[in-house]
Structures are given as C-alpha cells and as structure tokens.
Amino acid sequence: MTIRVLLVDDQPLLRTGFRLILEAEPDLTVVGQAGDGKDAQEQTRALLPDVVLMDIRMPGVDGIEATRRIVREAAPSAHVPKVLVLTTFDLDEYIVEALRSGASGFLLKDVPPDELVQAIRVVAAGDAIVAPSVTRRLLDRFAKRLPSAYEQAAPARLDRLTERELEVLRLIAKGMSNAEIAAKLVVSETTVKTHVGNVLTKLGLRDRVQAVVLAYETGLITPGALS
C-alpha cells in the first residue's frame, strides 16, 4: 500500500529535499506541495493525501490554523488525513496548539531521513508519533506561556469516565506505557488497552497525544507535576 504525502512548507528548497527523501522509498509518494496553509487546505481537499507534512511558520494561514481546518473539514468523512507537524522546537512554542488542533504528532526539521520516513509510516498507520513522555516535557516547558492553554479549553466531560478510567488517564498523561500502567494497577495489559480505548472514545479523542494535552488543559495534570 502506497502512502500519499502532501508537503507543506514556505521554503521550496526544504520541500524539494523532503520530496527526494520520500520518493526514494517504495511505499511513499508525494502527491503535492503547498507553500502556505490556505493552499495546503485546498490541496488536501483535492488530492486526499494520507499524511500532510506541515510546517508551522508560514505567511498567511499558518500551520496551526491549516491543521485545524484540515482536521475539522475531514472529520465527518471516511478519509481523514493525518497531520505531522514540523517544528524547530526552540522557536515554535505553539507546538502544543498544533497538537490541540488535531495534529498526530511532530518532528524536528533536522530529523534524520530514516526517522522522517518511519514517522510518516507510523502516523499513516493511525498511531501518534509523539511519545506521551515527550509531549509531557513539551507541555511542562511551554504550557504556562501559551496564551490559550487554559482560557479557551473546551469542556472535558471528565464526568463521563469511571474512577478507574480517570486513573488511567492520569497515568497516560504522566507518560506511562500500557505495560507500565498494567504493572502500576496490577491488572493485565489487555485490561489497560480496554480502559485506554474507553477513555479515548468517551472523550472524543483521536489518540494518546490528545489525551495528554487534555489532561493538562483540565488541570488533571499540572505543568511540572511529578505525581
């Protein structure tokens, strides 16, 4: 199965470099390129890529707003493209906003080629490329400085969760894997997977990355908290 990729970056040389890397792989094909968020939205609609490799800082419609529009527009349909955000990390403090907007993860712009390729495959398969522990470190670093980290958070509906599911959500937000949660709660890993699935379904979340962000937004976990 070939993974269809749309490249979005305002720097043509970067797009060319990424294209050369991706098209050297037998299971990846670049179906289009865009230089800003508005064009990215239009090309996503027309080309139906599986993965959108999205830069954050672009003129006009930036990558965060473009991600929000792409995910919102595709949500009711059968084909929902995954957005993989590119960041310079030290500069792009709004990466949390990108995750909140529906991105499936992020990569540094200087990522090694093999990691870029693997990340696209992982995201295309429906998983999040950002490990919860990494997401947590980002949130710890940036959450208090984000202008809308808490003021504009949507209602979490945490009351939909059972006490055990709420406990599982806390452990997910602390960066624990299913195996680690199972050991902590003295249950089977299969049971944990069931709880995680219930948490995501009840809260309308796509993956564990969004679960971590939500836990911070609702105050279930606070920046810097270790327990």
Side-chain angles (χ1 to χ4, degrees):
M1 179 179 175
T2 301
I3 300 171
R4 297 162 53 83
V5 182
L6 174 65
L7 301 178
V8 184
D9 197 294
D10 62 337
Q11 299 183 46
L13 284 178
L14 275 179
R15 296 200 306 268
T16 299
F18 286 136
R19 182 167 198 147
L20 290 173
I21 292 170
L22 301 187
E23 294 204 325
E25 301 296 322
D27 59 333
L28 303 180
T29 183
V30 175
V31 295
Q33 300 183 43
D36 59 60
K38 184 175 183 296
D39 191 18
Q41 182 186 11
E42 293 172 353
Q43 291 208 44
T44 298
R45 188 185 302 125
L47 300 173
L48 300 178
D50 300 304
V51 176
V52 179
L53 199 60
M54 179 78 74
D55 185 23
I56 287 184
R57 299 191 172 205
M58 296 181 291
V61 178
D62 64 18
I64 294 174
E65 179 58 26
T67 296
R68 184 179 295 113
R69 293 180 185 182
I70 288 170
V71 172
R72 183 175 60 226
E73 184 174 291
S77 70
H79 181 84
V80 181
K82 307 296 183 181
V83 179
L84 189 55
V85 170
L86 294 170
T87 176
T88 52
F89 186 75
D90 287 333
L91 298 176
D92 294 331
E93 299 188 6
Y94 290 88
I95 185 64
V96 179
E97 294 290 349
L99 295 174
R100 184 182 295 116
S101 298
S104 294
F106 77 95
L107 291 174
L108 303 183
K109 276 196 172 182
D110 60 355
V111 62
D114 58 333
E115 291 185 21
L116 171 65
V117 169
Q118 182 58 23
I120 290 173
R121 290 174 179 145
V122 169
V123 168
D127 293 326
I129 195 59
V130 187
S133 58
V134 175
T135 307
R136 185 183 178 207
R137 287 199 297 274
L138 279 170
L139 288 164
D140 281 349
R141 180 173 180 180
F142 297 138
K144 289 183 178 179
R145 288 188 282 169
L146 289 171
S148 60
Y150 298 104
E151 295 91 339
Q152 298 176 8
R157 302 291 181 88
L158 294 182
D159 56 325
R160 294 183 176 184
L161 304 183
T162 65
E163 286 298 319
R164 178 46 63 93
E165 289 166 353
L166 199 59
E167 188 174 12
V168 168
L169 176 56
R170 282 195 191 93
L171 298 177
I172 291 173
K174 292 177 182 178
M176 298 179 70
S177 66
N178 285 353
E180 291 169 334
I181 294 173
K184 173 78 172 178
L185 301 181
V186 195
V187 296
S188 71
E189 194 168 343
T190 299
T191 298
V192 172
K193 288 180 181 177
T194 299
H195 287 317
V196 171
N198 289 341
V199 168
L200 298 182
T201 299
K202 289 183 178 182
L203 298 181
L205 304 175
R206 187 186 57 256
D207 52 40
R208 295 169 76 103
V209 172
Q210 288 193 332
V212 175
V213 173
L214 183 64
Y216 273 79
E217 288 183 328
T218 59
L220 192 65
I221 294 290
T222 55
L226 297 178
S227 61

